[in-house]
Amino acid sequence: MLEKVSLRFRGSCMMLMQRSGDSVEFLGSCFLVRSSGYLLTTARAVATDAELLAVPPETDDRYPSLTRNEVDPIPVEIVAVDREHDIALLKLQPDLKIQMPADIIGEPDETPRGAALMSIGIPFGYYRVHTVLAPGSVLAGRARTANGSRLLIFDRRVQYGDSGGPLVRVSDGSVIGIVGGLFDPEHFGGVQAPEGVHVHPNFSYAISIEYASELMTAQGI
Amino acid sequence: MLEKVSLRFRGSCMMLMQRSGDSVEFLGSCFLVRSSGYLLTTARAVATDAELLAVPPETDDRYPSLTRNEVDPIPVEIVAVDREHDIALLKLQPDLKIQMPADIIGEPDETPRGAALMSIGIPFGYYRVHTVLAPGSVLAGRARTANGSRLLIFDRRVQYGDSGGPLVRVSDGSVIGIVGGLFDPEHFGGVQAPEGVHVHPNFSYAISIEYASELMTAQGI
Amino acid sequence: MLEKVSLRFRGSCMMLMQRSGDSVEFLGSCFLVRSSGYLLTTARAVATDAELLAVPPETDDRYPSLTRNEVDPIPVEIVAVDREHDIALLKLQPDLKIQMPADIIGEPDETPRGAALMSIGIPFGYYRVHTVLAPGSVLAGRARTANGSRLLIFDRRVQYGDSGGPLVRVSDGSVIGIVGGLFDPEHFGGVQAPEGVHVHPNFSYAISIEYASELMTAQGI
């Protein structure tokens, strides 16, 4: 099942980068949501004036070099941003026709606690190396932030660079959220650990995909 | 399977708190072991003179607010404590009739290495937010401490607040241990890592449920 | 499935140690690859002039004492070392006849991304306590280092002491790699996290088992 879902998302999760002089800088992950080239990511990842680029992963299964530095970026533009809920809708500039399922959007509210999940992202920005799956996780809970944003909490430690990737329900391969980051207990008002207790949270949160659906509907896509 | 076991324990894992003036302080996790309102937790969690309270989780599947602070605590009293093995038996004070299986106690000695486990607890004390599952773990080993306590070791990083929750065997949904905490290699006499090697253990231990069974038998329950 | 694979490797993963005066020092993990007593580990683990020893695990399922210190070591000698790819082939000195499958070597190149894996090792060198499984992981990617070594990347945090153990494909119980260590993004040329972002990688790498096969073929075994 995981292998199948993994193949379904093969190639659809990309690195998001910005042009910086002659080189490019890694910003996080993003993923294809429509065959016409629309991408989703977080709003915070695109809070820049620089030119945005997406870099698709290698889709063959060889051993790419860890020391290779060239990338093959595709220009993207910002279509719409929902800063309140931290969602951004982008579009690949070349008019590509990509093979992918018509609708990968799932139903976060209908996903029960304990449902198997996997998140996909590009930890540490390893181009050509891996679009990594983090399976073995379940929906641990839901929460609403101070500004009303709906969050999905899952019991898996995401890494730097994973932010902006999809949170996928394994049973049907649908996307139920956009990965935000680690679920830091202090930031979200949890109980503070006593002095001397070291906290390394291994929970992460995703922004409910509903906000992305609303953003796309508002754009007529 | 995980969804099913998750539902079985829905609502039975609670926050343990103590009254502190006008407010309440989080102590850890505890869980229902009998429909008559008996709870298990660790002895160290109840080493206090303050009034003890249990706070059951929300059992609906909505998005509770992260900023909501009121809790709805139920008074509990200590029935028996086994300090040597770090087990405490509590009882909810109101005479509640709770729907739950007659016996959820499993057989730790019959559980083979490699058996799928999940632990349940309330990391960081997030009230109304999640009673989090940590599945994807297996029984990694057993150990006996210097004072003879039987420990079950599982390959999952529990968090601050998870201590006192149940360690559940996935195949039959039975409780085989009470979560203790992280398996700190230095504390338990493992080999010390060489200078410069940073250790973040991702193994945890639970106290064998046998001691809880003995405590309950001694109380005639 | 995990329980079955766990049994298959029960007893075959050992502690590698070196004699140091009257005591022994833990070096890492190693594992049986042939019933005639051949073992595999990393080259770096055996970069010592001291006498090498292997300590097989307890194979019964009791609760061994955490405070017991005596070990029952078996002398081993180095048969061949491939420093470039960090592989070493050892042999138990007593002429033991061990029951194990004729060939446990798998095919790393034929293992798809997303395939379920488990790694086996002895974290923190807990003798008699556990030969720990780390299941719930998948093949996350492949990479080639600057010197051409083929690495398998899996989404699981290995511990100090796990290095030298086998990386096993769950579906057929075959070994596809030898566990190297944590996949440190800076060491391998990944994007550096911004100032203030704390990175605790939860990815690990294994050296492709192909190099071990070549080493064994060269030795006529």
Side-chain angles (χ1 to χ4, degrees):
Chain A
M1 194 63 203
L2 280 168
E3 286 183 32
K4 202 175 147 192
V5 178
S6 165
L7 282 173
R8 182 179 156 103
F9 283 91
R10 187 178 189 150
S12 79
C13 185
M14 303 186 184
M15 291 217 305
L16 186 67
M17 308 194 93
Q18 65 181 358
R19 196 172 294 280
S20 170
D22 283 348
S23 65
V24 289
E25 272 172 17
F26 177 64
L27 294 173
S29 300
C30 60
F31 63 100
L32 277 169
V33 68
R34 290 280 187 269
S35 59
S36 44
Y38 286 94
L39 298 160
L40 289 172
T41 189
T42 60
R44 90 192 87 138
V46 299
T48 171
D49 291 330
E51 187 188 348
L52 291 173
L53 304 162
V55 182
E58 297 274 305
T59 55
D60 69 21
D61 231 358
R62 305 300 169 83
Y63 292 82
S65 171
L66 281 167
T67 53
R68 191 165 167 182
N69 283 314
E70 330 86 75
V71 292
D72 193 19
I74 305 173
V76 296
E77 73 171 12
I78 299 173
V79 176
V81 176
D82 172 354
R83 296 226 175 270
E84 188 187 349
H85 300 117
D86 198 14
I87 300 268
L89 179 65
L90 315 175
K91 192 173 185 306
L92 296 173
Q93 279 317 290
D95 210 13
L96 303 174
K97 191 69 198 166
I98 300 150
Q99 282 223 332
M100 64 175 295
D103 197 359
I104 59 169
I105 303 285
E107 309 209 27
D109 288 5
E110 306 302 318
T111 305
R113 290 192 203 195
L117 303 177
M118 68 179 207
S119 67
I120 306 176
I122 300 159
F124 319 121
Y126 277 104
Y127 175 61
R128 289 187 204 272
V129 174
H130 47 208
T131 302
V132 171
L133 316 172
S137 159
V138 298
L139 184 61
R142 295 181 170 86
R144 188 185 297 274
T145 62
N147 79 354
S149 273
R150 293 171 174 202
L151 303 183
L152 304 164
I153 301 165
F154 57 106
D155 64 329
R156 193 82 189 187
R157 184 179 176 78
V158 297
Q159 297 287 339
Y160 169 67
D162 283 330
S163 180
L167 181 68
V168 178
R169 185 173 177 184
V170 171
S171 64
D172 61 4
S174 68
V175 178
I176 61 170
I178 299 176
V179 173
L182 280 182
F183 191 64
D184 177 344
E186 293 185 23
H187 180 70
F188 283 106
V191 173
Q192 216 165 324
E195 197 74 38
V197 173
H198 209 38
V199 175
H200 296 294
N202 54 356
F203 290 94
S204 305
Y205 73 94
I207 304 141
S208 173
I209 198 70
E210 294 168 81
Y211 302 116
S213 297
E214 289 166 16
L215 210 58
M216 289 192 286
T217 303
Q219 296 290 325
I221 58 169
Chain B
M1 195 62 205
L2 280 169
E3 286 183 32
K4 203 176 146 191
V5 178
S6 166
L7 282 174
R8 181 178 157 99
F9 283 90
R10 186 178 190 148
S12 78
C13 185
M14 303 185 184
M15 292 216 305
L16 186 66
M17 308 193 95
Q18 65 182 357
R19 196 173 296 279
S20 170
D22 284 347
S23 66
V24 289
E25 273 173 16
F26 177 66
L27 293 172
S29 300
C30 60
F31 62 99
L32 276 169
V33 67
R34 290 281 187 270
S35 59
S36 43
Y38 287 94
L39 298 160
L40 289 172
T41 188
T42 60
R44 89 192 88 138
V46 299
T48 171
D49 290 330
E51 187 188 348
L52 290 173
L53 304 162
V55 182
E58 297 274 306
T59 55
D60 69 21
D61 232 359
R62 305 298 168 84
Y63 292 82
S65 170
L66 280 168
T67 53
R68 191 166 167 180
N69 284 315
E70 329 85 74
V71 293
D72 193 18
I74 305 174
V76 295
E77 74 170 11
I78 299 174
V79 176
V81 176
D82 173 352
R83 297 226 176 271
E84 189 186 349
H85 300 116
D86 198 14
I87 300 267
L89 180 66
L90 315 176
K91 191 172 184 308
L92 296 173
Q93 279 318 289
D95 210 13
L96 302 173
K97 192 69 198 167
I98 301 150
Q99 283 224 330
M100 63 176 295
D103 197 359
I104 59 168
I105 304 285
E107 309 209 27
D109 288 5
E110 306 303 317
T111 306
R113 291 192 203 196
L117 304 177
M118 70 179 206
S119 68
I120 306 177
I122 299 159
F124 318 121
Y126 278 103
Y127 175 62
R128 289 186 204 273
V129 174
H130 47 208
T131 302
V132 170
L133 316 171
S137 159
V138 298
L139 184 61
R142 295 180 170 86
R144 188 184 297 275
T145 62
N147 79 354
S149 274
R150 293 171 173 201
L151 303 183
L152 304 165
I153 301 165
F154 57 106
D155 64 329
R156 193 83 188 188
R157 184 180 175 78
V158 297
Q159 298 286 340
Y160 169 68
D162 283 330
S163 181
L167 181 68
V168 178
R169 185 173 178 184
V170 171
S171 64
D172 61 5
S174 68
V175 178
I176 60 170
I178 298 175
V179 173
L182 280 182
F183 191 66
D184 178 343
E186 293 185 23
H187 179 70
F188 284 106
V191 174
Q192 215 166 325
E195 197 72 40
V197 172
H198 209 38
V199 174
H200 297 293
N202 53 358
F203 290 94
S204 304
Y205 72 96
I207 304 141
S208 174
I209 198 70
E210 294 167 79
Y211 302 116
S213 297
E214 288 166 16
L215 210 58
M216 289 192 287
T217 302
Q219 296 291 325
I221 57 170
Chain C
M1 195 63 204
L2 280 169
E3 286 182 34
K4 201 175 147 191
V5 178
S6 166
L7 282 173
R8 182 178 156 101
F9 283 91
R10 186 177 189 150
S12 78
C13 185
M14 303 186 185
M15 293 217 304
L16 186 66
M17 308 194 93
Q18 65 182 358
R19 195 172 295 281
S20 170
D22 283 348
S23 65
V24 289
E25 274 172 16
F26 177 67
L27 294 172
S29 301
C30 60
F31 63 100
L32 277 169
V33 67
R34 290 280 188 269
S35 59
S36 44
Y38 287 95
L39 298 160
L40 289 172
T41 189
T42 60
R44 90 192 86 139
V46 299
T48 171
D49 291 330
E51 187 188 347
L52 290 172
L53 304 162
V55 182
E58 296 275 305
T59 56
D60 69 21
D61 232 358
R62 305 299 168 85
Y63 292 81
S65 169
L66 280 167
T67 54
R68 191 165 166 182
N69 284 315
E70 328 85 75
V71 293
D72 192 20
I74 305 172
V76 296
E77 73 170 12
I78 299 174
V79 176
V81 176
D82 173 352
R83 296 225 176 271
E84 188 186 349
H85 300 116
D86 198 15
I87 300 269
L89 179 66
L90 315 175
K91 191 172 185 306
L92 295 173
Q93 279 316 289
D95 211 13
L96 303 173
K97 191 68 199 168
I98 300 150
Q99 283 223 332
M100 64 176 295
D103 197 359
I104 59 168
I105 303 285
E107 309 209 28
D109 288 5
E110 306 303 317
T111 306
R113 290 194 203 194
L117 304 177
M118 70 179 206
S119 68
I120 306 176
I122 300 159
F124 318 121
Y126 277 103
Y127 175 61
R128 289 186 206 271
V129 175
H130 46 209
T131 303
V132 170
L133 316 172
S137 158
V138 298
L139 184 60
R142 294 182 171 86
R144 188 185 297 275
T145 63
N147 78 354
S149 274
R150 293 171 174 201
L151 303 183
L152 304 165
I153 300 164
F154 57 107
D155 63 330
R156 191 84 189 186
R157 183 179 175 79
V158 298
Q159 297 287 340
Y160 169 68
D162 283 329
S163 180
L167 180 68
V168 178
R169 184 173 178 184
V170 172
S171 65
D172 61 4
S174 68
V175 178
I176 60 169
I178 298 175
V179 172
L182 281 181
F183 191 65
D184 177 343
E186 292 184 23
H187 179 70
F188 284 107
V191 174
Q192 215 165 324
E195 197 74 38
V197 172
H198 208 39
V199 174
H200 295 293
N202 55 356
F203 290 94
S204 304
Y205 73 95
I207 303 141
S208 173
I209 198 69
E210 293 167 81
Y211 302 116
S213 297
E214 288 165 17
L215 210 57
M216 289 191 287
T217 302
Q219 295 291 324
I221 58 169

